């Protein structure tokens, strides 16, 4: 994925600003607005598919949505030089969601945020490779824990489906409110 390559190239050269709210950064607000819009669109589309699938077919089918449909949803909003993807604090899909060293530092800063700072938090930066915007993903709803909660709290059928779909899965053990990762929007 192009954004993945861009972010890996940027690594520690990325000039990043941690912002408590959208007005605090000196970087181009037009880029920030576009990044925010693309991330919101991906998040809403993915959440809508997951909620509909959970309701209609159950959590095992939702795993298929994450594995097969989530990349297509992100690709739908990765146009006009933009790419959108997700990174994880504990990775489920190692091919697409593994953060590099600089991204792990960004995730650590998100993790350190006080609860009242989380809703408006983001990081953005410029490097020789372009503009990057990070928005944290928290386990905000109990439904998140169906597949991402404590292993002993995940049902047997879901554990089996996760093991089948993601043999190297590390994305369990979260509690409500925990940081799970971040959305990344990049523009070259």
């Amino acid at each position: 994925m192009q954004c993945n390559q861009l972010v890996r190239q940027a690594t520690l050269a990325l000039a990043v600003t941690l912002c408590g709210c959208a007005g605090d950064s000196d970087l181009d607000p037009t880029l920030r607005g576009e990044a925010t819009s693309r991330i919101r669109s991906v998040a809403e589309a993915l959440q809508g598919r997951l909620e509909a699938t959970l309701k209609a077919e159950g959590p095992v089918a939702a795993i298929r949505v994450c594995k097969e449909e989530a990349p297509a949803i992100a690709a739908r909003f990765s146009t006009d030089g933009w790419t959108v993807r997700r990174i994880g604090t504990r990775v489920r899909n190692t091919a697409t969601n593994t953060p590099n060293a600089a991204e792990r530092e960004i995730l650590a800063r998100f993790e350190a945020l006080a609860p009242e700072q989380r809703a408006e938090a983001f990081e953005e930066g410029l490097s020789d490779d372009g503009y990057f915007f990070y928005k944290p993903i928290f386990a905000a709803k109990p439904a998140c824990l169906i597949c991402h909660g404590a292993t002993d709290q995940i049902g047997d059928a879901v554990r089996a489906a996760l093991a089948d779909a993601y043999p190297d899965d590390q994305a369990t053990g979260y509690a409500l409110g925990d940081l799970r990762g971040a959305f990344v929007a990049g523009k070259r």
Side-chain angles (χ1 to χ4, degrees), residues 74-122:
R76 205 167 64 223
F77 297 96
S78 295
T79 60
D80 303 321
W82 284 93
T83 54
V84 182
R85 68 188 186 97
R86 294 173 298 156
I87 56 174
T89 57
R90 297 180 216 147
V91 179
R92 178 157 282 164
N93 185 340
T94 57
T96 59
N97 302 126
T98 302
N100 64 27
E103 291 171 330
R104 284 191 298 275
E105 290 178 18
I106 291 167
L107 290 171
R109 286 191 292 274
F110 285 151
E111 187 119 46
L113 292 172
E116 63 273 7
Q117 296 174 306
R118 291 179 170 187
E120 299 299 321
F122 66 86

